[in-house]
Amino acid sequence: MAAWTTPERDAEHAPTAPASAVSGRSSITPASVVPSGRLTALASADPGRRVATSAEGSSVEEHPCPVAVPSGTTCGYLLAPERRDVPNSRTIKVGYAVHRASPAAEQAADPVVYMSGGPGSASLQLTGFLTRMFPGRDVVVLEQRGGRYSEPRLSCPEIVRGVVDTLSTPGPASAETAPLARQALACQSRLEAENVDLRGYRTAEIAADVVDLRTALGYPRWYLFGVSYSTRPMLLAAARDPQGTRGVVLDSLLPAGARWYDESSAALSATMTKLGVAARFDAMVKALNAHPATYETRDPLTRERLTVQLTGDDVATILGEALHEAGVAAIVPALVDGLASGRTELLQPLVDAAGDALTSHEWGLYYAVQCQDETPYNTFRNARGPRLFTGVVDEAVCDAWDLPAARPDADLLTPHTPVTPASSNPASPDGATPEATPEATSEGAPPEEASSEGAPPEEASSEGATPPVLVLGGQFDPTTPPEAAQKAVSAVPGARFAEFAGAGHAVFLSSACSRQTIAAFLDDPAATQPVCDPGAAPYSVVRPGDLLLTSSAYRLSRSPIPLAVPAAFLLVSAVQLVAGLVSLLRRRGGGLSALAGLAGIALGALSALSLSGVRDWTSFAIGVPHALAWYGLLALVSTGLSIVEAFRLNAAAARIVPALTGLAFLAWLYGWLLS
């Protein structure tokens, strides 16, 4: 649900699948996509394209896959009305992919349909990853309408430009919303000139796409799998289509009654408390609000060099998004402690990633959903804790767009709890968020009239029992806290919750145990016996003092040229060792050279052994093991022996090379890498 996420850190919308996918683009025919006997293929005006229409009227259209997908995968578009509440609304195209299970499977298992979160995150790039998770069943991956692989695509580079410009100027973001509003209006005007009706891009319509795709593909029932924001349309789709829903998997659940913006600052502080650095986090925010830090990075649109100034609130926002990834969450305690001590350069990796993340969403879609379904139900009052940049930007954009609040719909977990817009309720004097009022919806309708398509919740589930629900939460997820998810499902029959230690947001991409748990649930939703230990964290938390803090390792990852110094030292050490051993065998001395070379080689071997023992390579972004400083003493020994050898009587001039190389390495190690 979070807006400014780090690409490949917010795993739900990683730009590439975590494992390799089969290259190639696939053309499809209706027969290859849809179970036989359910659809009638109709030739369209374009002889190179075919359209399949179900008995219920939903249709799909073949289309080459826009990303690399495994063999056996076909792609297409769901043809859907832009607004189902408007007669004769124009037709839009919603991208999807279908990977069919191997014919060798003993029996056909119920398929699973997946959608990424955001809103506005792409889904198709995860097709290969998902097919490996569920090898025995069909896997359907559905884009969001308006997303990257749908038509129209609601990108909004104008807003990205407004964000970058705001971060490039000094002062708090809350005082610089006018440029954001101008850029937001420019994007809105452009989309409307392209005949986009933004009111058609909201959760209820996205949920209806899920239901329509099932009927169009001819599946009698399937499992729904949502992560973060997409848990909302999946829950709504399950409530609308109970007979077609075999079960529901919700990763990083965002409960319908949550006031995400109003609760985000407190949720981030609570996560810092879990990590044991709440006091240091508060100190860091206070210090950087008083004296913002300056960073050099790249403009996400032009790729030119860019200078940004970040306050404590901005840094808190970046840290909150970085906590999505389990590997980053593990190093946050050491990072926060370093930042609080004035080591602001340690944030550089996350600053670079945050800039790239501004191109990870389709922001027109993001704001169409947020401005109708989320921001109207928040007060945006100043709360204790940092004022997160995400809320400032989203409030400014939604105020500028002025879209109507969408009527809340009953879903599978909250059939009787409509939510009232925050603007309709007086806030308490201390700025606390008012509770949802069950007596009325945003339009004054009684709760029984607030369900999907105007039908009471009882109608949605009267034909069958509530389908089984599995909810997953990450221990260190500040965006969709596991406590809120557990509370939301605690009173729902057939729903169970599992929290995974050390995980952040989008648990299934960082936790192997969570993937096993999901697969077991799909095989037998009634089984409750754990298939693995969710309490086993994938990475150990790096506490303050566990690492020797330095940003040099990250700089090496950006430019490996400085590695020439240790490479030369190790090469010279190897030559010294060999030459010294040869001299000893010939009884010509060489003992000092052999010892110097051996010390250098031992340094390299011990350093490599120390680095290879680090499970979370993300930690190198902020530091290295303390042992490297002690192993550096071997370089001191090697250099000292080389100097003695070089200045011995009648020593060859070449003997000075190891001495100079050793001195250069010591300067590199203690003056640059470990400084």
Side-chain angles (χ1 to χ4, degrees):
M1 188 65 183
W4 312 111
T5 52
T6 52
E8 300 183 26
R9 299 188 187 284
D10 185 2
E12 78 192 50
H13 53 78
T16 55
S20 60
V22 177
S23 299
R25 297 165 67 88
S26 304
S27 298
I28 65 172
T29 63
S32 68
V33 177
V34 189
S36 60
R38 295 301 303 272
L39 302 183
T40 302
L42 301 175
S44 67
D46 182 352
R49 177 177 294 168
R50 294 189 177 185
V51 176
T53 305
S54 70
E56 293 81 356
S58 303
S59 59
V60 293
E61 176 183 280
E62 66 179 77
H63 185 72
C65 293
V67 296
V69 294
S71 60
T73 302
T74 51
C75 299
Y77 291 122
L78 171 72
L79 306 181
E82 187 171 46
R83 289 185 62 184
R84 290 176 173 86
D85 59 338
V86 174
N88 301 317
S89 176
R90 74 164 180 164
T91 298
I92 63 172
K93 299 179 179 182
V94 183
Y96 71 88
V98 177
H99 180 83
R100 300 185 64 80
S102 170
E106 295 181 1
Q107 63 182 21
D110 290 318
V112 57
V113 57
Y114 168 83
M115 179 189 291
S116 288
S121 296
S123 303
L124 293 185
Q125 75 282 356
L126 289 176
T127 302
F129 184 77
L130 292 162
T131 58
R132 287 186 290 275
M133 279 184 65
F134 312 118
R137 63 184 75 242
D138 287 9
V139 174
V140 181
V141 181
L142 179 60
E143 287 291 305
Q144 296 167 24
R145 54 172 49 212
R148 180 162 303 179
Y149 304 116
S150 296
E151 296 180 7
R153 176 181 175 181
L154 273 58
S155 60
C156 218
E158 297 92 338
I159 292 179
V160 176
R161 173 52 53 204
V163 171
V164 171
D165 291 345
T166 298
L167 292 176
S168 303
T169 56
S174 57
E176 302 172 349
T177 57
L180 284 169
R182 286 195 298 270
Q183 295 286 10
L185 289 172
C187 174
Q188 184 182 36
S189 297
R190 177 179 56 79
L191 292 174
E192 291 176 347
E194 297 170 0
N195 298 317
V196 172
D197 189 341
L198 293 171
R199 292 169 295 178
Y201 299 85
R202 55 191 181 92
T203 302
E205 293 286 4
I206 295 172
D209 293 338
V210 176
V211 177
D212 285 354
L213 183 63
R214 183 188 66 77
T215 60
L217 295 181
Y219 290 118
R221 63 179 185 174
W222 60 8
Y223 286 97
L224 306 177
F225 182 8
V227 57
S228 190
Y229 161 72
S230 69
T231 59
R232 284 189 169 174
M234 289 302 188
L235 280 170
L236 187 54
R240 293 181 174 186
D241 187 28
Q243 292 302 304
T245 302
R246 178 69 176 87
V248 185
V249 177
L250 306 171
D251 185 338
S252 306
L253 170 66
L254 185 69
R259 300 188 187 274
W260 185 71
Y261 294 102
D262 291 345
E263 298 165 0
S264 58
S265 180
L268 177 57
S269 296
T271 301
M272 292 299 173
T273 298
K274 292 180 185 178
L275 290 166
V277 289
R280 297 294 283 167
F281 174 72
D282 292 341
M284 176 210 72
V285 171
K286 182 178 180 181
L288 289 174
N289 276 339
H291 302 285
T294 300
Y295 297 91
E296 294 289 332
T297 187
R298 291 199 176 274
D299 188 306
L301 296 177
T302 66
R303 307 309 302 169
E304 296 178 353
R305 298 302 299 177
L306 174 72
T307 301
V308 296
Q309 294 189 345
L310 302 181
T311 66
D313 293 339
D314 300 333
V315 172
T317 306
I318 291 175
L319 288 173
E321 303 301 337
L323 282 165
H324 287 186
E325 185 181 354
V328 177
I331 68 171
V332 162
L335 174 58
V336 167
D337 185 68
L339 293 173
S341 299
R343 300 290 302 277
T344 56
E345 77 280 0
L346 299 175
L347 192 70
Q348 187 68 54
L350 299 186
V351 173
D352 292 340
D356 293 338
L358 290 173
T359 59
S360 67
H361 287 59
E362 305 312 311
W363 296 110
L365 170 59
Y366 174 88
Y367 283 111
V369 173
Q370 293 296 89
C371 296
Q372 295 180 85
D373 291 336
E374 190 69 32
T375 60
Y377 305 98
N378 290 261
T379 65
F380 291 93
R381 299 295 181 92
N382 290 332
R384 296 178 61 185
R387 186 170 186 182
L388 301 183
F389 184 75
T390 307
V392 172
V393 174
D394 291 7
E395 182 184 17
V397 173
C398 290
D399 284 348
W401 279 20
D402 195 27
L403 294 174
R407 186 173 67 180
D409 292 286
D411 64 28
L412 198 64
L413 297 183
T414 56
H416 302 289
T417 311
V419 182
T420 303
S423 59
S424 301
N425 290 310
S428 59
D430 61 357
T433 303
E435 297 295 328
T437 57
E439 290 79 13
T441 68
S442 61
E443 296 181 4
E448 61 270 14
E449 297 177 6
S451 63
S452 166
E453 303 294 340
E458 290 77 11
E459 287 185 25
S461 58
S462 60
E463 297 180 7
T466 301
V469 179
L470 172 65
V471 179
L472 292 75
Q475 179 187 11
F476 298 136
D477 182 5
T479 302
T480 54
E483 295 81 6
Q486 185 173 19
K487 181 179 179 181
V489 304
S490 60
V492 178
R496 59 191 179 95
F497 173 80
E499 179 178 324
F500 293 83
H505 200 60
V507 182
F508 83 103
L509 283 174
S510 63
S511 167
C513 182
S514 73
R515 295 191 289 272
Q516 297 174 35
T517 301
I518 295 171
F521 173 80
L522 268 57
D523 290 339
D524 183 5
T528 58
Q529 185 67 26
V531 295
C532 53
D533 181 13
Y539 305 107
S540 299
V541 174
V542 180
R543 301 293 179 187
D546 288 351
L547 287 176
L548 184 61
L549 297 180
T550 175
S551 61
S552 300
Y554 175 70
R555 295 201 299 272
L556 282 175
S557 71
R558 309 290 283 186
S559 175
I561 293 176
L563 286 175
V565 175
F569 174 75
L570 291 175
L571 178 61
V572 170
S573 296
V575 172
Q576 272 188 294
L577 178 60
V578 173
L581 291 176
V582 171
S583 295
L584 286 174
L585 290 175
R586 294 179 177 178
R587 301 182 182 277
R588 297 179 181 177
L592 289 180
S593 292
L595 287 175
L598 181 61
I601 296 299
L603 165 64
L606 290 172
S607 298
L609 184 63
S610 176
L611 295 175
S612 65
V614 177
R615 290 182 57 194
D616 182 9
W617 282 63
T618 307
S619 63
F620 292 135
I622 65 166
V624 295
H626 285 282
L628 292 186
W630 294 104
Y631 296 155
L633 296 178
L634 289 171
L636 184 62
V637 171
S638 175
T639 303
L641 293 173
S642 297
I643 291 175
V644 172
E645 183 75 2
F647 287 95
R648 292 181 64 178
L649 187 63
N650 298 325
R655 297 285 186 181
I656 197 64
V657 174
L660 295 177
T661 305
L663 291 172
F665 177 77
L666 287 171
W668 176 86
L669 180 65
Y670 291 108
W672 186 78
L673 180 67
L674 303 181
S675 63

